[in-house]
Amino acid sequence: MNVWLVAACVLLAAGMGPCLWRACTGDPAQRLMGITLGGTVAVGVCLLVARGVQRTSYVDVALVLAVLSPAGTLVFCRCLAGGGRPEARKARTRRS
Amino acid sequence: MEARHAVVLVLLFCGLAAFLISAVALLVLPGPYQRLHALTPATSLGLPLMAAALAVDTGPGRAAVKFLVIGALVAVTGPAVGIAIGRTVTETSAVDATASGTGSEPPA
């Protein structure tokens, strides 16, 4: 159990808990913040565990996650902001 | 305890502290727009510091470059995702406002 794994455990417990809480409660648009921070915490945990267990191949997991988690959140944003929902587009056209 | 090991530990714990600050901020900050600031310490400070710690620890080489690329990637995509979430919150609260008739405008 080296310092990297201790840091990974602390980050996972203290970092992912609030993200899950915020991602499971409240307004759908505000849940995105929990998902985004959860993605970043997951990248951090992957990096620390990769160094802790001395397997550099896990760093690729963190790299792929760092690329895909923002993309996933942007897809959620588009769905929520009415990319496909007519009434949101009507509200937007009425305002502009 | 070489100087390099000390630098690695300092960078690691500063990165970890930034992550924990943003986790607490995610819970504590009240409104949706204030809570949006909770993402910044983690994406702009926490992960780059942690990537720097790992890069210093592995020493010069290709692996260190990969860590720094991950840190830079997260530091760049963080604000972009924050902007997208802010626009989504504005749009969905605008739609709910027009539906329920009570306007909750974002703070100027």
Side-chain angles (χ1 to χ4, degrees), chain A residues 3-4 7 11 14 18-19 21-22 29-30 33 36-37 40-41 43-44 47-48 51 59-60 63 66-67 70 73-74 77 80-81 85 88 92 95, chain B residues 8-9 12-13 16 19-20 22-23 26-27 32 35-36 39 42-43 47 50 54 57 66-67 70 73-74 77 81 84-85 88-89 91-92 94-95:
Chain A
V3 69
W4 304 101
L11 183 58
C19 296
W21 171 259
R22 191 54 68 193
Q30 291 164 35
M33 297 170 203
T36 310
L37 193 57
T40 313
V41 166
V43 170
L47 283 177
L48 293 175
R51 178 61 186 81
V59 175
D60 300 342
L63 181 62
V67 171
T73 307
L74 291 181
C77 287
L80 274 177
R85 278 170 46 213
R92 205 180 310 133
R95 253 189 302 124
Chain B
V8 165
L9 286 182
L12 175 65
F13 287 124
L16 203 61
F19 262 109
L20 299 184
S22 63
L26 194 67
L27 284 180
R35 200 171 298 150
L36 207 50
L39 309 178
T43 52
L47 208 97
M50 212 172 272
L54 288 159
D57 185 63
K66 190 184 279 189
F67 285 127
I70 292 175
L73 193 64
V74 171
T77 54
V81 170
I85 293 178
T88 308
V89 170
E91 295 232 341
T92 46
V95 167

